[in-house]
Amino acid sequence: MKTLLKNGFVYDGTGQPAFIGDVLVEEQQIVEIDTNINSKVDKTIDCSGLCIAPGFIDAHSHNDFFVNKDETEQYFAPFIKQGITTQITGNCGLSPFGIAENSPFKAQVGGGIFHGENPGSFAQFLTTAQGRLHMNIAPLVGHGTIRAGINGNTSAPLSKTQMKELLFYVNEALKAGAFGGSLGLMYEPGLYAPFSELVAFSKEVAKYDGILTVHPRACSKISLSYRPIFTRPHIELAFDEVATIAKESGVKLHYSHLICVGKSTWNSCDWLLNKIHTLGITYDFYAFCHGASTITVILPPWYMGLSLEKRKNKFVQLRLKLLINITRKLLGLDFDDFLIADMDKKYKDYLGKNIAELAKMERLSKIDMYLKLVELSNGTARIYISKYNNEEIIRTLMQDDLSMLMTDAWIEDRGIQNQAAFQGLPYFLIKAREANLPLEKIIHKMSGKTAERFGLPSRGILKSGNFADITVFDFKKLSVDLKTPNATPNGITYVFINGNIVVDNGVYTPSTCGQMVLKNNN
């Protein structure tokens, strides 16, 4: 089938200004781009006044954990409706593959956030994904997953034999086409890995010229991952650790979700950008000033390791409350910055309220209400935290040449959804319009630049011979409903994935036309 996109503003994804022209698609490929294409076609789409861009690439996703879920389409549809055609997955040290079929630790894969139905080898993952992909996925292999599969979520060091096993699974994924690996230094079990293990993992990635994405040990001025509290900003210590891993291993580094959590951390952004430009690495970030986390995010690891009985000890409680209050104040966060997104259904009245509101409702102090929520949910309540960056930081990052754009969001089976899963990348375009930033530069960050950095073949740029991943949108009418997290953006008019029209004049039709994008590492 031949389809002609006619008379649109063509943004080719290279960062060059748009021109008014046509794009001819045949089967899975773009076959011609010109100012006036005359060809016999099966379908002509008038794109007058619309922008024709490469399909948006989400630089940081975890949707690989949803590939083998029942009714898979519901987990991918919101991303497709916002114009995303490809996602980089396996971030934060977490992937649904990289372990032995007979591993007794499968239930511990996912860092406590994700739960793969049956994680296994990379080859098994590829087999499972066949015929189930609604969009394109470009996979990374997670260090945390491999380590969990070998040793569970324990702090015990790996033996020499276990280290060989870890490197075996890194190689298995990279030889078969993974684009690199990832570290999650804030999640179990990655947070327990010694420096030598992190470097060894990264060296294996470097052997294949793969990219390493890293969730640092801290994204704030104060983190309970570090002692003592009163020292250099912990976000800066964490970045130095990441940079040292890259230097020791020689790996190509990409810093995951540049966020400065809490008012007191915001002034570290300039320090981070200076370091990033000195090293010449890349990074990604969100469009929103809030992000998803778990209720235990400000708790010290030692507390959650205690039994319920020991947690109630008077001196333990006193020590904990003192530490939380010091940390919270030093961060510039308050309990009204923590909104409850999900708990057990019997606490549905808590959803959508912040901890300060719940404390007033329950006639408790804010810190006692917080600890009550931890206990009621056994530490699993999902929350959204405000003061993840601010609008000034976001605008600065949008204009930085080394930044890329992402959602870092997924669809939850219940509770309040993360806005980024529905509105993340279009919101960047809206911010660009409001700030009068060059649209071609923003599109480049979510297409050609990301494809080039991660090494995605034949994607991210509109040119003859590339896959026909295309997003057509009305820039003037593009809008999001910030008061409704799960609202579909207005203005995304057409979306092509591998030449298939999955959004046609604003109407979405499910299709398993996505592909597993693989790197040739042979």
Side-chain angles (χ1 to χ4, degrees):
M1 179 176 176
K2 281 189 175 182
T3 303
L4 180 63
L5 304 178
K6 193 77 177 168
N7 296 325
F9 296 102
V10 179
Y11 291 87
D12 65 6
T14 65
Q16 295 300 309
F19 63 92
I20 296 177
D22 308 339
V23 178
L24 180 63
V25 173
E26 183 173 6
E27 302 302 332
Q28 295 189 0
Q29 289 186 318
I30 297 168
V31 295
E32 187 179 359
I33 300 175
D34 210 335
T35 52
N36 187 22
I37 296 174
N38 291 306
S39 177
K40 185 177 181 180
V41 297
D42 301 290
K43 183 181 178 74
T44 299
I45 298 174
D46 182 10
C47 294
S48 300
L50 303 179
C51 300
I52 305 173
F56 302 155
I57 300 175
D58 184 353
H60 186 115
S61 172
H62 295 281
N63 262 357
D64 46 354
F65 275 91
F66 299 90
V67 165
N68 60 354
K69 295 276 190 180
D70 293 336
E71 301 178 8
T72 307
E73 183 266 336
Q74 65 179 311
Y75 300 101
F76 290 89
F79 296 93
I80 296 169
K81 291 177 184 178
Q82 58 173 290
I84 295 171
T85 59
T86 302
Q87 293 185 310
I88 311 294
T89 63
N91 290 284
C92 300
L94 309 173
S95 59
F97 56 83
I99 70 173
E101 176 63 27
N102 61 351
S103 170
F105 303 113
K106 287 188 175 184
Q108 297 184 44
V109 168
I113 302 173
F114 307 105
H115 304 281
E117 295 297 318
N118 186 27
S121 68
F122 187 61
Q124 289 170 322
F125 174 68
L126 296 182
T127 299
T128 299
Q130 289 181 3
R132 299 178 63 85
L133 294 182
H134 297 271
M135 66 194 325
N136 304 316
I137 283 181
L140 307 169
V141 60
H143 162 265
T145 290
I146 299 176
R147 195 179 210 274
I150 294 169
N151 216 25
N153 285 333
T154 71
S155 59
L158 299 183
S159 66
K160 288 184 178 180
T161 300
Q162 289 174 324
M163 271 302 301
K164 287 182 179 179
E165 187 176 356
L166 183 145
L167 298 179
F168 169 83
Y169 282 106
V170 180
N171 276 279
E172 188 243 0
L174 292 171
K175 284 181 179 178
F179 287 87
S182 68
L183 302 177
L185 304 183
M186 202 183 286
Y187 298 118
E188 289 186 313
L191 62 88
Y192 303 128
F195 182 77
S196 59
E197 179 182 321
L198 300 175
V199 171
F201 174 89
S202 304
K203 281 184 175 180
E204 289 302 309
V205 173
K207 285 180 181 178
Y208 292 87
D209 193 30
I211 194 164
L212 179 75
T213 70
V214 185
H215 182 132
R217 205 171 296 275
C219 296
S220 53
K221 181 178 181 180
I222 302 296
S223 167
L224 295 177
S225 295
Y226 286 92
R227 295 180 185 177
I229 289 178
F230 300 102
T231 182
R232 280 181 61 204
H234 292 165
I235 189 172
E236 297 178 13
L237 294 176
F239 182 89
D240 284 345
E241 178 187 20
V242 172
T244 305
I245 291 169
K247 181 179 179 181
E248 290 289 322
S249 64
V251 77
K252 184 165 53 178
L253 177 62
H254 181 85
Y255 185 84
S256 292
H257 39 55
L258 195 159
I259 50 175
C260 299
V261 180
K263 284 184 177 180
S264 65
T265 313
W266 292 347
N267 59 11
S268 286
C269 183
D270 288 341
W271 184 94
L272 287 170
L273 287 179
N274 180 60
K275 286 286 188 178
I276 284 168
H277 279 266
T278 299
L279 296 173
I281 67 173
T282 53
Y283 64 94
D284 51 52
F285 69 106
Y286 320 99
F288 294 94
C289 294
H290 60 264
S293 191
T294 58
I295 194 79
T296 58
V297 67
I298 60 171
L299 286 178
W302 59 260
Y303 178 75
M304 291 307 293
L306 298 175
S307 66
L308 290 176
E309 183 180 354
K310 288 184 177 180
R311 289 183 199 172
K312 294 177 182 179
N313 179 278
K314 181 173 65 175
F315 294 105
V316 168
Q317 288 286 304
L318 182 63
R319 177 190 175 196
L320 178 69
K321 290 180 180 181
L322 179 63
L323 193 56
I324 288 174
N325 279 328
I326 290 173
T327 303
R328 185 172 50 81
K329 289 179 180 179
L330 289 175
L331 274 175
L333 288 174
D334 209 338
F335 284 113
D336 58 2
D337 293 316
F338 295 76
L339 182 139
I340 304 303
D342 183 45
M343 282 185 66
D344 188 276
K345 60 183 179 182
K346 59 184 173 183
Y347 304 113
K348 63 181 180 180
D349 291 343
Y350 289 175
L351 298 187
K353 296 181 176 65
N354 64 50
I355 292 174
E357 291 171 331
L358 293 175
K360 186 175 182 180
M361 187 172 82
E362 297 285 351
R363 297 183 179 180
L364 294 171
S365 69
K366 294 176 185 178
I367 195 164
D368 283 334
M369 186 69 230
Y370 169 72
L371 293 175
K372 179 180 178 179
L373 292 167
V374 172
E375 185 175 340
L376 290 176
S377 69
N378 193 29
T380 63
R382 184 164 51 86
I383 62 173
Y384 293 122
I385 305 176
S386 301
K387 300 189 177 76
Y388 270 38
N389 292 336
N390 58 33
E391 292 297 342
E392 182 180 352
I393 289 174
I394 290 174
R395 186 170 298 185
T396 297
L397 301 183
M398 285 178 66
Q399 297 177 75
D400 185 28
D401 289 339
L402 295 177
S403 69
M404 297 173 195
L405 312 181
M406 56 85 158
T407 65
D408 191 16
W410 53 91
I411 302 302
E412 298 284 355
D413 291 327
R414 64 183 192 186
I416 298 171
Q417 298 291 348
N418 188 337
Q419 279 184 294
F422 294 81
Q423 306 168 356
L425 295 195
Y427 195 34
F428 276 116
L429 298 173
I430 292 167
K431 287 177 179 288
R433 185 178 64 200
E434 293 170 348
N436 198 31
L437 300 179
L439 180 58
E440 61 268 22
K441 301 298 184 184
I442 304 304
I443 290 174
H444 178 50
K445 289 177 180 293
M446 61 175 73
S447 58
K449 186 175 185 65
T450 305
E452 180 182 12
R453 182 59 173 168
F454 284 86
L456 310 188
S458 304
R459 298 185 193 272
I461 295 176
L462 299 180
K463 71 174 185 178
S464 177
N466 274 8
F467 286 97
D469 296 335
I470 302 171
T471 295
V472 180
F473 61 95
D474 189 327
F475 189 48
K476 292 181 179 179
K477 293 182 179 179
L478 199 63
S479 66
V480 295
D481 181 355
L482 297 179
K483 294 182 179 180
T484 308
N486 59 348
T488 298
N490 293 315
I492 303 297
T493 314
Y494 298 93
V495 177
F496 290 70
I497 297 178
N498 299 312
N500 296 273
I501 304 178
V502 291
V503 175
D504 189 344
N505 199 25
V507 178
Y508 166 68
T509 302
S511 171
T512 53
C513 59
Q515 295 181 5
M516 187 67 68
V517 184
L518 298 174
K519 182 181 179 184
N520 184 1
N521 283 324
N522 296 317

